[in-house]
Amino acid sequence: KAGVTQTPRYLIKTRGQQVTLSCSPISGHRSVSWYQQTPGQGLQFLFEYFSETQRNKGNFPGRFSGRQFSNSRSEMNVSTLELGDSALYLCASSEGASGAYFGPGTRLTVT
Amino acid sequence: KQEVTQIPAALSVPEGENLVLNCSFTDSAIYNLQWFRQDPGKGLTSLLLIQSSQREQTSGRLNASLDKSSGRSTLYIAASQPGDSATYLCAVLLSSNDYKLSFGAGTTVTVRA
Protein backbone atom coordinates (compact mmCIF):
# COMPACT_ATOMS: atom_id res chain seq x y z
CA LYS A 1 0.00 0.00 0.00
CA ALA A 2 1.12 3.53 -0.65
CA GLY A 3 2.00 5.53 2.42
CA VAL A 4 0.64 8.85 3.63
CA THR A 5 1.31 11.68 1.22
CA GLN A 6 1.38 15.38 1.96
CA THR A 7 1.50 18.26 -0.46
CA PRO A 8 3.19 20.59 -0.87
CA ARG A 9 6.40 19.58 0.89
CA TYR A 10 7.65 23.13 1.29
CA LEU A 11 5.91 26.50 1.40
CA ILE A 12 7.05 30.05 1.92
CA LYS A 13 4.34 32.58 2.70
CA THR A 14 4.14 36.14 3.89
CA ARG A 15 2.45 37.30 7.09
CA GLY A 16 -1.25 37.86 6.59
CA GLN A 17 -1.62 35.37 3.76
CA GLN A 18 -3.46 32.10 4.02
CA VAL A 19 -2.33 28.58 3.16
CA THR A 20 -3.91 25.20 2.45
CA LEU A 21 -2.12 21.94 3.09
CA SER A 22 -3.25 18.56 1.82
CA CYS A 23 -2.97 15.03 3.19
CA SER A 24 -3.88 11.74 1.52
CA PRO A 25 -4.12 8.84 3.98
CA ILE A 26 -3.30 5.20 3.46
CA SER A 27 -6.00 3.51 1.43
CA GLY A 28 -8.74 2.23 3.73
CA HIS A 29 -7.84 4.51 6.62
CA ARG A 30 -10.70 6.74 7.68
CA SER A 31 -8.99 8.79 10.39
CA VAL A 32 -6.69 11.70 9.58
CA SER A 33 -5.11 13.81 12.28
CA TRP A 34 -2.91 16.88 12.02
CA TYR A 35 0.02 18.00 14.19
CA GLN A 36 2.22 21.05 14.35
CA GLN A 37 5.88 20.54 15.22
CA THR A 38 8.13 23.39 16.35
CA PRO A 39 11.48 23.33 18.18
CA GLY A 40 10.00 25.10 21.19
CA GLN A 41 6.66 23.33 21.58
CA GLY A 42 7.33 19.90 20.12
CA LEU A 43 4.46 18.01 18.53
CA GLN A 44 1.06 19.51 19.21
CA PHE A 45 -2.28 18.08 18.14
CA LEU A 46 -4.35 20.29 15.85
CA PHE A 47 -7.46 18.23 14.98
CA GLU A 48 -8.66 14.82 13.90
CA TYR A 49 -11.22 13.82 11.29
CA PHE A 50 -13.02 10.54 10.83
CA SER A 51 -15.42 9.91 7.96
CA GLU A 52 -15.68 13.64 7.24
CA THR A 53 -16.45 14.57 10.88
CA GLN A 54 -14.14 16.42 13.22
CA ARG A 55 -13.91 14.32 16.37
CA ASN A 56 -11.39 16.32 18.34
CA LYS A 57 -9.66 19.66 18.21
CA GLY A 58 -6.54 20.90 19.91
CA ASN A 59 -5.92 24.22 21.58
CA PHE A 60 -5.24 26.35 18.52
CA PRO A 61 -6.89 29.61 17.42
CA GLY A 62 -9.76 29.62 14.95
CA ARG A 63 -7.35 30.62 12.17
CA PHE A 64 -6.55 26.92 11.96
CA SER A 65 -9.27 24.88 10.32
CA GLY A 66 -9.60 21.64 8.46
CA ARG A 67 -11.91 19.37 6.58
CA GLN A 68 -12.08 15.86 5.26
CA PHE A 69 -13.54 14.66 2.00
CA SER A 70 -15.52 11.52 1.23
CA ASN A 71 -12.37 9.79 -0.06
CA SER A 72 -10.71 10.48 3.36
CA ARG A 73 -8.30 13.04 1.96
CA SER A 74 -7.95 15.97 4.30
CA GLU A 75 -6.95 19.59 4.06
CA MET A 76 -5.98 22.07 6.69
CA ASN A 77 -6.12 25.81 6.25
CA VAL A 78 -4.37 28.54 8.14
CA SER A 79 -5.62 32.07 7.59
CA THR A 80 -3.92 35.36 8.41
CA LEU A 81 -0.53 33.76 8.82
CA GLU A 82 1.75 34.84 11.65
CA LEU A 83 5.50 34.36 12.01
CA GLY A 84 4.83 31.87 14.81
CA ASP A 85 2.98 29.59 12.40
CA SER A 86 6.31 28.60 10.85
CA ALA A 87 6.55 24.90 11.57
CA LEU A 88 6.55 21.38 10.22
CA TYR A 89 2.94 20.25 9.75
CA LEU A 90 2.44 16.52 9.94
CA CYS A 91 -0.60 14.46 9.20
CA ALA A 92 -1.23 10.93 10.41
CA SER A 93 -3.48 8.23 9.03
CA SER A 94 -5.02 5.48 11.14
CA GLU A 95 -7.73 2.85 11.16
CA GLY A 96 -8.91 0.95 14.20
CA ALA A 97 -6.11 -0.37 16.39
CA SER A 98 -3.51 -0.26 13.62
CA GLY A 99 -1.51 2.61 15.03
CA ALA A 100 -0.74 5.95 13.41
CA TYR A 101 1.25 6.36 10.20
CA PHE A 102 2.71 9.74 9.42
CA GLY A 103 3.40 11.53 6.19
CA PRO A 104 6.67 13.34 5.37
CA GLY A 105 5.25 16.69 6.48
CA THR A 106 4.90 20.14 4.99
CA ARG A 107 7.52 22.68 6.02
CA LEU A 108 5.84 26.09 6.24
CA THR A 109 7.96 29.21 6.54
CA VAL A 110 6.22 32.53 7.20
CA THR A 111 8.25 35.66 6.47
CA LYS B 1 -4.63 16.01 30.60
CA GLN B 2 -2.12 13.38 29.57
CA GLU B 3 1.49 14.41 30.16
CA VAL B 4 4.24 12.39 28.47
CA THR B 5 7.86 12.72 29.55
CA GLN B 6 10.96 11.29 27.92
CA ILE B 7 14.27 10.98 29.71
CA PRO B 8 17.02 11.61 28.83
CA ALA B 9 16.55 14.42 26.32
CA ALA B 10 19.79 13.45 24.58
CA LEU B 11 22.08 10.46 24.57
CA SER B 12 25.46 9.80 22.96
CA VAL B 13 26.90 6.28 22.89
CA PRO B 14 29.68 4.42 21.06
CA GLU B 15 28.69 2.01 18.35
CA GLY B 16 27.74 -1.43 19.65
CA GLU B 17 26.38 -0.24 22.97
CA ASN B 18 22.78 -1.02 23.91
CA LEU B 19 20.37 1.91 24.12
CA VAL B 20 17.68 2.36 26.77
CA LEU B 21 15.11 5.10 26.21
CA ASN B 22 12.46 5.91 28.78
CA CYS B 23 8.93 7.23 28.45
CA SER B 24 6.52 8.01 31.28
CA PHE B 25 2.88 9.10 31.16
CA THR B 26 0.54 10.44 33.82
CA ASP B 27 -2.78 8.80 32.87
CA SER B 28 -2.45 5.02 32.98
CA ALA B 29 -5.79 4.46 31.20
CA ILE B 30 -4.18 4.37 27.78
CA TYR B 31 -5.47 2.59 24.70
CA ASN B 32 -2.04 2.05 23.16
CA LEU B 33 1.50 3.43 23.07
CA GLN B 34 3.60 3.89 19.98
CA TRP B 35 7.31 4.54 19.49
CA PHE B 36 8.47 6.59 16.53
CA ARG B 37 11.75 7.59 14.98
CA GLN B 38 12.31 10.97 13.37
CA ASP B 39 15.28 11.98 11.26
CA PRO B 40 16.04 15.71 10.99
CA GLY B 41 13.39 17.56 8.99
CA LYS B 42 11.52 14.36 8.19
CA GLY B 43 8.23 12.78 9.16
CA LEU B 44 7.76 10.15 11.86
CA THR B 45 8.46 6.48 11.21
CA SER B 46 6.54 4.02 13.35
CA LEU B 47 8.81 1.56 15.17
CA LEU B 48 6.61 -0.35 17.57
CA LEU B 49 2.98 -0.27 18.67
CA ILE B 50 2.00 -1.72 22.04
CA GLN B 51 -1.67 -2.23 22.82
CA SER B 52 -2.80 -1.61 26.40
CA SER B 53 -3.25 -5.36 26.98
CA GLN B 54 0.34 -6.16 25.94
CA ARG B 55 3.50 -6.03 28.02
CA GLU B 56 6.06 -5.84 25.21
CA GLN B 57 6.67 -5.83 21.48
CA THR B 58 9.77 -6.81 19.55
CA SER B 59 11.02 -6.09 16.08
CA GLY B 60 14.56 -7.06 15.14
CA ARG B 61 16.98 -5.22 17.44
CA LEU B 62 14.14 -3.22 19.00
CA ASN B 63 12.15 -4.20 22.06
CA ALA B 64 9.58 -2.04 23.83
CA SER B 65 8.00 -2.79 27.19
CA LEU B 66 4.87 -1.30 28.72
CA ASP B 67 3.94 -1.07 32.40
CA LYS B 68 0.58 0.65 32.54
CA SER B 69 0.28 0.57 36.31
CA SER B 70 3.45 2.60 36.76
CA GLY B 71 2.88 4.70 33.63
CA ARG B 72 6.12 3.69 31.94
CA SER B 73 7.44 2.34 28.68
CA THR B 74 11.03 1.56 27.75
CA LEU B 75 12.51 1.19 24.29
CA TYR B 76 15.61 -1.00 24.04
CA ILE B 77 17.82 -0.92 20.97
CA ALA B 78 20.44 -3.66 20.94
CA ALA B 79 23.93 -3.30 19.46
CA SER B 80 23.48 0.30 18.32
CA GLN B 81 24.75 1.45 14.92
CA PRO B 82 25.49 4.95 13.55
CA GLY B 83 22.34 4.60 11.44
CA ASP B 84 20.31 4.52 14.67
CA SER B 85 21.16 8.19 15.23
CA ALA B 86 17.83 10.03 15.27
CA THR B 87 15.19 11.43 17.62
CA TYR B 88 12.95 8.84 19.23
CA LEU B 89 9.45 9.83 20.29
CA CYS B 90 6.85 8.01 22.30
CA ALA B 91 3.16 8.77 21.96
CA VAL B 92 0.14 7.56 23.89
CA LEU B 93 -3.43 7.23 22.75
CA LEU B 94 -6.08 7.51 25.46
CA SER B 95 -9.14 6.43 23.57
CA SER B 96 -10.18 4.66 20.39
CA ASN B 97 -13.02 7.20 20.03
CA ASP B 98 -10.72 9.72 18.46
CA TYR B 99 -7.12 9.51 17.29
CA LYS B 100 -5.40 12.16 19.38
CA LEU B 101 -1.83 11.25 20.26
CA SER B 102 0.01 12.85 23.17
CA PHE B 103 3.73 13.04 22.48
CA GLY B 104 6.81 13.26 24.60
CA ALA B 105 9.51 15.76 23.66
CA GLY B 106 11.75 12.98 22.38
CA THR B 107 15.22 11.62 23.04
CA THR B 108 17.90 12.57 20.53
CA VAL B 109 20.34 9.71 20.08
CA THR B 110 23.83 9.96 18.61
CA VAL B 111 25.72 6.74 17.97
CA ARG B 112 29.45 7.39 17.50
CA ALA B 113 31.36 5.23 15.05
Side-chain angles (χ1 to χ4, degrees):
Chain A
K1 281 185 179 179
V4 180
T5 59
Q6 292 188 244
T7 57
R9 296 291 312 280
Y10 303 92
L11 269 178
I12 300 175
K13 291 286 187 179
T14 304
R15 274 179 300 176
Q17 289 186 315
Q18 75 166 15
V19 67
T20 298
L21 313 182
S22 180
C23 173
S24 292
I26 292 169
S27 177
H29 285 194
R30 292 173 290 176
S31 170
V32 174
S33 50
W34 289 88
Y35 296 82
Q36 180 195 66
Q37 187 177 33
T38 59
Q41 299 296 319
L43 274 153
Q44 293 186 288
F45 173 79
L46 281 157
F47 29 66
E48 187 247 0
Y49 288 88
F50 180 87
S51 294
E52 302 181 68
T53 300
Q54 186 182 87
R55 296 198 293 188
N56 205 337
K57 188 178 191 304
N59 189 25
F60 278 82
R63 300 185 297 107
F64 291 81
S65 63
R67 59 178 175 169
Q68 187 180 35
F69 302 95
S70 59
N71 63 358
S72 293
R73 188 178 70 86
S74 177
E75 290 182 346
M76 67 164 280
N77 183 275
V78 187
S79 62
T80 320
L81 284 166
E82 301 178 358
L83 294 178
D85 297 333
S86 295
L88 181 66
Y89 290 88
L90 294 161
C91 82
S93 158
S94 57
E95 180 66 31
S98 67
Y101 295 87
F102 281 79
T106 295
R107 170 73 63 185
L108 172 65
T109 302
V110 182
T111 62
Chain B
K1 180 188 172 188
Q2 178 74 271
E3 301 284 347
V4 182
T5 304
Q6 290 187 248
I7 295 173
L11 191 56
S12 178
V13 300
E15 182 176 4
E17 193 163 299
N18 296 332
L19 289 164
V20 180
L21 309 180
N22 297 299
C23 172
S24 62
F25 45 94
T26 53
D27 188 340
S28 62
I30 65 169
Y31 184 74
N32 64 37
L33 183 145
Q34 201 165 356
W35 282 94
F36 295 92
R37 167 187 172 137
Q38 186 176 33
D39 293 292
K42 307 290 187 183
L44 276 60
T45 301
S46 179
L47 297 174
L48 290 167
L49 170 69
I50 311 177
Q51 303 294 345
S52 62
S53 59
Q54 298 175 317
R55 295 298 300 268
E56 68 175 346
Q57 277 286 353
T58 298
S59 177
R61 294 184 295 113
L62 276 59
N63 174 279
S65 65
L66 174 64
D67 184 342
K68 273 180 50 178
S69 60
S70 65
R72 294 182 182 181
S73 177
T74 302
L75 177 66
Y76 300 90
I77 303 177
S80 61
Q81 305 167 358
D84 294 329
S85 298
T87 297
Y88 292 82
L89 296 142
C90 73
V92 299
L93 182 68
L94 276 181
S95 166
S96 61
N97 293 329
D98 62 54
Y99 226 95
K100 175 186 175 182
L101 290 170
S102 298
F103 280 90
T107 295
T108 299
V109 171
T110 302
V111 181
R112 308 186 303 271

